[in-house]
Amino acid sequence: MKITIVAGARPNFIKIAPIIKAIQKKQSVNNKLSFRLVHTGQHYDKNLSDTFFEELNIPHPNSNLEVKSGSQAQQTAAIMVAFEQELIENPCDLVLVVGDVNSTMACAIVAKKMNLKVTHVEAGIRSGDMTMPEEINRIVTDSITDYFFTTSTWAGENLMKYGAEASNIHFVGNVMIDTLYQNLDRISAPNFWNEFQLEKGNYIILTLHRPSNVDEEHSLIDLLKGIDKMVGDKKVIFPIHPRTKAILGEQKLELKNILMVDPQGYLNFMFLIKNSFAVITDSGGISEETTVLGIPCFTLRTTTERPETITIGTNNLIGISIENLEKVFGEFLQNGPRKAGIPELWDGKASERIIDILLSKK
Ligand code: UDP
């Protein structure tokens, strides 16, 4: 079986790393299994791409489509044109896409139109918010996927509502958590740890990159000022995403507690998360990681496609409201963290299950 694996953006790299490891492990007993890794070039900044390949030992991509930035349509179209050529030159049996970025959707469409089997890892999750480009990517990708791998039974139910056949839906767990477990003993403090006098539990991690939070400069600044005031004597480490940085430009904000740093590599970032007091974020992946690490998470969004991080895990859905953040954060300070657990099958073995199931398909 020849598998073409697609990855385009930071969260994709974290998700493909354990899948590739699982394939490599199987290759020692199955010489008919091979893979080709295609990087679409959607994220090309070293901090969002190369660092993850190096730290997570992901093989150098066989091909880089180098699409870079553009509008939604420009980027999707550029990926489709380049990926079609890639598949013509390098035929395969199956294309595996992960997550919900433009590369996921664009490559799934191209593969399906070339009559290849499409496999979607992290299928079936839904926020219900059609203003998110990711939601459109999820729906389109799942509408043409052959084999669905899910992180929850709820995701499988969503897929069946859209007409997917139960026999093609496989609840396997969470590949992002595979990566977390595989690297927990390698995580390390960033070089600013001593400089900022960070200690376990004396700081908060903040990440913001969703258009709904960062594209409007004034609301972004108000949000940052509100968080800066709310946290009392806690420092806030804010690894700033290039999209967010571009909006803030060079202006100096008068923030007492928030310390802006570059986007962190995976090993430093997970060390920071694991040792933090709490996390404030608009990321989906981070709400999964904090759930497994038992770190309280406050999500600045109105919806989530990962409800189990709230019902089972440590996540709190705040909305985009500093007032509500202050309220819920205040309750947390008063009552302490609530009791939380780890969702079913988030055990570090999802990737191996995926490869075993794919091999049983042929
Ligand atoms: N991440 C990282 N360094 C950072 C910020 C994030 O390594 O400075 C990792 C983290 O593991 C997270 C993943 O990148 O789960 C994806 O984060 P992002 O918020 O970009 O994507 P989303 O999960 O919202 O799609």
Side-chain angles (χ1 to χ4, degrees):
M1 178 186 274
K2 280 190 189 169
I3 305 178
T4 291
I5 299 174
V6 174
R10 176 171 66 184
N12 286 178
F13 309 140
I14 300 169
K15 288 166 198 169
I16 60 158
I19 298 175
I20 291 176
K21 281 206 180 69
I23 293 178
Q24 288 169 330
K25 200 168 148 195
K26 266 287 179 267
Q27 279 176 323
S28 57
V29 288
N30 182 332
N31 60 13
K32 294 221 167 75
L33 178 63
S34 67
F35 75 94
R36 197 177 152 79
L37 176 58
V38 177
H39 188 326
T40 64
Q42 192 183 326
H43 276 175
Y44 48 88
D45 194 296
K46 185 176 187 314
N47 286 337
L48 298 190
S49 178
D50 293 4
T51 306
F52 288 82
F53 279 76
E54 284 157 23
E55 290 192 353
L56 300 176
N57 294 316
I58 304 170
H60 192 72
N62 300 91
S63 162
N64 191 323
L65 309 181
E66 294 187 357
V67 298
K68 306 209 168 165
S69 312
S71 70
Q72 291 287 325
Q74 281 166 339
Q75 195 175 61
T76 304
I79 297 169
M80 287 180 71
V81 172
F83 191 58
E84 184 178 54
Q85 194 56 35
E86 155 66 32
L87 288 180
I88 291 169
E89 287 167 18
N90 301 286
C92 65
D93 304 308
L94 182 150
V95 170
L96 183 147
V97 296
V98 296
D100 54 19
V101 299
N102 289 345
S103 303
T104 311
M105 177 186 75
C107 294
I109 296 173
V110 171
K112 192 67 190 168
K113 289 199 169 188
M114 292 175 80
N115 293 325
L116 298 168
K117 294 284 184 208
V118 175
T119 293
H120 185 201
V121 174
E122 203 185 85
I125 60 175
R126 296 286 183 271
S127 68
D129 178 358
M130 292 299 279
T131 65
M132 287 176 77
E134 293 91 337
E135 183 73 353
I136 299 166
N137 294 339
R138 292 179 195 119
I139 291 173
V140 174
T141 303
D142 285 338
S143 71
I144 49 174
T145 288
D146 294 283
Y147 308 134
F148 305 90
F149 292 101
T150 63
T151 49
S152 66
T153 50
W154 174 75
E157 286 158 20
N158 288 336
L159 291 167
M160 284 193 278
K161 268 189 228 154
Y162 279 83
E165 270 182 41
S167 61
N168 290 327
I169 302 171
H170 304 281
F171 171 37
V172 288
N174 191 327
V175 290
M176 197 137 196
I177 302 308
D178 291 5
T179 299
L180 179 61
Y181 282 131
Q182 285 173 14
N183 291 283
L184 264 185
D185 59 358
R186 300 176 63 225
I187 60 177
S188 61
N191 51 19
F192 53 76
W193 182 261
N194 290 334
E195 185 195 334
F196 291 166
Q197 297 175 319
L198 302 183
E199 285 168 22
K200 189 173 174 60
N202 80 344
Y203 64 92
I204 290 166
I205 293 289
L206 171 67
T207 80
L208 294 171
H209 74 289
R210 296 239 113 76
S212 52
N213 281 322
V214 306
D215 279 6
E216 181 40 61
E217 187 186 339
H218 286 295
S219 4
L220 172 61
I221 293 174
D222 286 349
L223 194 58
L224 291 176
K225 286 188 174 158
I227 293 171
D228 194 56
K229 208 164 130 216
M230 182 193 83
V231 294
D233 60 354
K234 292 258 183 294
K235 294 182 191 73
V236 179
I237 307 300
F238 182 24
I240 187 161
H241 192 280
R243 179 184 191 108
T244 314
K245 193 173 183 176
I247 305 288
L248 290 177
E250 293 304 313
Q251 61 183 308
K252 289 263 169 287
L253 301 175
E254 285 187 14
L255 300 168
K256 193 161 63 78
N257 296 302
I258 298 182
L259 298 159
M260 297 195 195
V261 296
D262 283 336
Q264 297 294 293
Y266 185 78
L267 300 174
N268 287 166
F269 189 71
M270 279 305 135
F271 184 93
L272 286 167
I273 295 279
K274 185 164 187 284
N275 290 290
S276 66
F277 178 68
V279 173
I280 302 172
T281 188
D282 58 11
S283 160
I286 294 175
S287 68
E288 298 182 330
E289 292 156 341
T290 46
T291 280
V292 169
L293 294 172
I295 301 294
C297 179
F298 300 85
T299 295
L300 290 170
R301 288 177 50 192
T302 51
T303 57
T304 178
E305 57 292 326
R306 293 159 163 96
E308 65 280 10
T309 61
I310 297 171
T311 53
I312 302 172
T314 57
N315 193 14
N316 300 274
L317 197 62
I318 301 297
I320 302 174
S321 153
I322 188 68
E323 291 76 25
N324 200 38
L325 179 62
E326 276 167 9
K327 180 174 163 284
V328 180
F329 195 78
E331 287 163 4
F332 154 64
L333 288 180
Q334 208 158 40
N335 307 328
R338 62 165 199 266
K339 231 172 140 20
I342 296 180
E344 194 187 348
L345 293 187
W346 290 21
D347 58 1
K349 297 188 181 122
S351 305
E352 290 184 5
R353 292 187 190 107
I354 291 170
I355 300 309
D356 283 343
I357 293 167
L358 282 181
L359 286 172
S360 74
K361 297 276 181 194
K362 266 212 148 184

